[in-house]
Amino acid sequence: MSLVVYNTRTGSKAPLEPIEPGHIRMYVCGITAYDYCHIGHARSALVFDMIVRYLRYRGYQVTFIRNFTDIDDKIIKRAQEQNTTCEELSERFIRMFHEDMARLGVAAPTLEPKATEHVGEIISLIEELIKRDLAYQVGNDVYYKVEQFADYGALSGRSLDDMQAGARVSVNENKAHPMDFALWKGSKPGEPTWESPWGPGRPGWHIECSAMSKKYLGDTFDIHGGGKDLVFPHHENEIAQSEGASGKPFVKVWIHHGFVTIKDEKMSKSLGNFLTIREVLEKYPAEVLRLFVFSTHYRNPLDYSETAMNDAASGLERLYGALAELAQLPEAGKAGAASAIGAKDREKLISIENRFQQAMDNDFNTALALGNFFEAVKTMNKVRQGLPTVPAAEDLALLRESAATLRHLAAILGLLTEEPAAYMAARKNALLQGLGITEAEIEALIAARNQARKEKDFAKADAIRDELLLKQIEIKDSASGTTWSVKAA
RNA sequence: GGCGGCGUAGCCAAGUGGUAAGGCAGUGGUCUGCAAAACCAUUAUUCAGCGGUUCAAAUCCGCUCGCCGCCUCCA
């Protein structure tokens, strides 16, 4: 059974075959560091984090490069607005990005190169393109000669003619062809500047990724990823640059994820409908965001809403809740006792890992994998409930193994990484904030209610329960005592 | 205008030729003093609409409608 991945370039799925057996080399376009990251960036980070973890779980060595764009028009503009330098601004937001990633539990890439630290490589690459007649200098700028590259448009499935038909292509008189794009931009006064054969200037946007991927992964590597909006022009231009300069294929598989939308519209700064990662994490634990992100296939749009996040929170609690219950099972069972687990349930528990792999092998189908998790938990709950007072040792062992397997696999999605009891407690405390009642007050009311119950004063007991419910506190009586939880919003 | 994607229950969502996963919500039951949680059962004769291919279609083809994205910075 092999891992099958959808490739934007071919528009179809194919088995992943690394260039070097057992080793995947992957490059993902990171952020332009000029502002706080929004949940679209979070989706990108989370999706590729999941992909890297799954590839490693499948036994591949993974070299994962994710760059920072730290010089660009937006950075220059924002730095001027804030009366600071581009360097200070980009470094500040790279720091913020790292904070966000840490809170999301996103593992660090192998390397996180910055454009400004690779200007030498960029200049060499541009020189090579000029030598090959794929680029030309105009004043202090250098442009890529799009018509000279036969495959231009192959990734995004468009022809130069189609694109020229669009009215939105602005005409720059300096360019030989309207679609030619800048490799090097001569700098204006006050802008960050590097010396080059074409005079003082700075790199164009696309060239940095060609230069850095070449340096760290070689002329040809396995996977290149990013958001769908990067297909054109960014990745199209990268192909033109890299293949133009090396004469070799650039990337084997292109992976692009869908957008995060709000009310079915793409989040964007111009619409003002974006949410930052830190805003969302103020309201929800990181794992809730992860569950939300992975509940849809990575290539589909993902519509953010409070309802969706609350659903995800409920779902996550269901998973943690089941694990917390399992953890309370007695240590030792009766050795050699007959099993109380039916054949079908047993099969479900034993096949957890298998089904997970099957789902994930099909183009990282996390939505299906999560569905399997819920089914597994359903079975575990059912089996647990059906256990006799003194369960068979064998059954306890199977349940514990299943729970351990579930957590092991969920960790690939960055889920169920906390101690179940601790998660439930922390979530409870977080929800308790701002409800106007303390844990001690709740405990006192429960004690009073239990006293009333003992005295068969059910009217009073119910009154107390209603009072608690009014404050969003739900109580749960069981043989071992009364527990409580905060009702989800 | 060019290119691409999507439309599955109240909501979210998987399913790419073999007879509709899963989550959230709902209903009935077990349990409970009553509840809650959990479990059991149940909830789409049907996959935007129409037509076609096929023994067989949500899945393939054509057309129609609706929504979205890219073509300009963008995850």
Side-chain angles (χ1 to χ4, degrees):
Chain A
M1 214 172 52
S2 65
L3 170 58
V4 171
V5 182
Y6 181 88
N7 185 352
T8 308
R9 174 72 183 253
T10 60
S12 60
K13 294 183 201 172
L16 185 67
E17 283 160 4
I19 295 160
E20 177 194 322
H23 187 176
I24 301 277
R25 290 180 174 81
M26 170 162 140
Y27 186 98
V28 170
C29 293
I31 59 158
T32 298
Y34 75 108
D35 206 342
Y36 292 103
C37 288
H38 56 62
I39 50 181
H41 298 113
R43 184 182 196 188
S44 177
L46 256 16
V47 162
F48 289 108
D49 187 51
M50 172 276 290
I51 287 176
V52 168
R53 288 188 205 212
Y54 187 66
L55 291 174
R56 290 191 174 136
Y57 160 82
R58 286 296 253 117
Y60 293 105
Q61 183 195 336
V62 180
T63 302
F64 172 35
I65 310 293
R66 185 180 55 214
N67 72 295
F68 284 113
T69 298
D70 61 347
I71 178 66
D72 136 281
D73 292 345
K74 291 190 295 290
I75 294 174
I76 293 170
K77 185 165 171 249
R78 185 63 58 91
Q80 280 166 357
E81 284 166 10
Q82 296 193 4
N83 206 12
T84 183
T85 63
C86 290
E87 196 180 6
E88 187 282 323
L89 184 87
S90 62
E91 270 177 15
R92 174 156 38 105
F93 284 108
I94 286 172
R95 205 160 57 238
M96 297 300 119
F97 174 82
H98 281 141
E99 278 180 20
D100 289 342
M101 291 305 109
R103 290 183 68 190
L104 289 172
V106 170
T110 313
L111 268 174
E112 298 183 288
K114 296 174 191 153
T116 57
E117 292 171 355
H118 296 80
V119 176
E121 287 86 345
I122 289 170
I123 289 173
S124 308
L125 193 56
I126 296 173
E127 284 181 315
E128 180 64 29
L129 288 169
I130 292 175
K131 202 192 295 171
R132 290 183 177 236
D133 193 33
L134 284 161
Y136 55 96
Q137 182 179 357
V138 178
N140 289 332
D141 300 338
V142 180
Y143 293 99
Y144 190 96
K145 214 184 267 185
V146 144
E147 281 176 305
Q148 202 70 210
F149 186 71
D151 270 352
Y152 196 77
L155 177 69
S156 54
R158 49 188 96 197
S159 69
L160 281 171
D161 293 343
D162 291 343
M163 288 184 281
Q164 280 183 91
R168 302 177 74 184
V169 178
S170 61
V171 181
N172 178 333
E173 284 154 35
N174 294 331
K175 296 196 237 177
H177 182 105
M179 294 308 294
D180 287 351
F181 57 90
L183 298 170
W184 188 263
K185 297 178 173 182
S187 51
K188 303 185 190 89
E191 291 179 357
T193 288
W194 288 263
E195 284 309 318
S196 83
W198 318 286
R202 59 191 169 91
W205 173 37
H206 315 294
I207 194 71
E208 63 178 73
C209 289
S210 285
M212 291 188 280
S213 63
K214 178 188 169 76
K215 176 169 183 184
Y216 297 110
L217 300 176
D219 285 328
T220 305
F221 55 96
D222 299 290
I223 297 175
H224 193 132
K228 275 194 157 117
D229 46 1
L230 296 183
V231 174
F232 190 92
H234 188 234
H235 289 162
E236 196 71 70
N237 291 351
E238 279 187 49
I239 293 174
Q241 294 163 347
S242 294
E243 298 195 354
S246 74
K248 298 178 199 155
F250 180 37
V251 165
K252 281 193 81 175
V253 181
W254 288 90
I255 295 181
H256 293 101
H257 64 261
F259 303 127
V260 177
T261 59
I262 290 183
K263 294 198 168 67
D264 291 325
E265 275 186 321
K266 181 184 171 184
M267 278 198 314
S268 76
K269 308 243 158 169
S270 51
L271 282 168
N273 62 344
F274 64 95
L275 280 161
T276 63
I277 293 174
R278 39 197 68 202
E279 279 171 325
V280 170
L281 290 184
E282 255 167 51
K283 298 187 73 172
Y284 302 96
E287 289 199 9
V288 169
L289 182 60
R290 294 186 89 115
L291 184 70
F292 165 67
V293 165
F294 294 134
S295 66
T296 299
H297 185 86
Y298 75 86
R299 278 189 280 116
N300 293 152
L302 177 66
D303 199 47
Y304 182 91
S305 68
E306 298 276 312
T307 311
M309 288 298 282
N310 287 333
D311 284 359
S314 300
L316 188 63
E317 252 169 79
R318 182 174 160 79
L319 297 178
Y320 268 122
L323 290 177
E325 294 285 350
L326 283 177
Q328 292 191 3
L329 247 31
E331 283 293 311
K334 198 171 169 190
S339 170
I341 305 179
K344 246 180 130 177
D345 290 339
R346 179 178 301 275
E347 178 51 37
K348 272 251 168 82
L349 294 180
I350 290 170
S351 64
I352 291 174
E353 183 150 14
N354 227 319
R355 286 185 296 147
F356 175 78
Q357 235 184 70
Q358 246 173 49
M360 294 293 282
D361 271 358
N362 186 7
D363 197 26
F364 312 105
N365 193 335
T366 54
L368 181 57
L370 284 174
N372 291 162
F373 285 171
F374 281 106
E375 261 192 294
V377 155
K378 190 183 210 165
T379 305
M380 287 184 220
N381 279 335
K382 181 180 159 193
V383 165
R384 194 195 79 236
Q385 196 122 348
L387 248 29
T389 323
V390 184
E394 180 204 341
D395 289 357
L396 287 179
L398 178 58
L399 278 176
R400 277 203 203 91
E401 255 173 58
S402 305
T405 301
L406 182 70
R407 286 191 71 189
H408 173 64
L409 299 175
I412 292 167
L413 308 184
L415 295 171
L416 306 181
T417 61
E418 293 180 50
E419 270 314 305
Y423 177 86
M424 299 298 277
R427 181 75 183 141
K428 197 190 258 187
N429 278 328
L431 287 169
L432 215 51
Q433 302 279 324
L435 277 183
I437 189 164
T438 66
E439 190 160 356
E441 284 166 346
I442 293 169
E443 295 294 351
L445 283 166
I446 286 175
R449 172 171 169 275
N450 281 338
Q451 184 59 36
R453 288 173 73 211
K454 220 177 196 169
E455 291 158 7
K456 304 269 184 221
D457 185 354
F458 294 120
K460 186 175 173 191
D462 289 351
I464 294 173
R465 185 174 61 203
D466 290 344
E467 185 188 338
L468 282 166
L469 201 55
L470 224 70
K471 302 226 167 184
Q472 306 299 312
I473 306 300
E474 274 180 330
I475 56 178
K476 190 156 71 166
D477 297 324
S478 76
S480 54
T482 301
T483 59
W484 58 274
S485 58
V486 182
K487 250 171 84 173

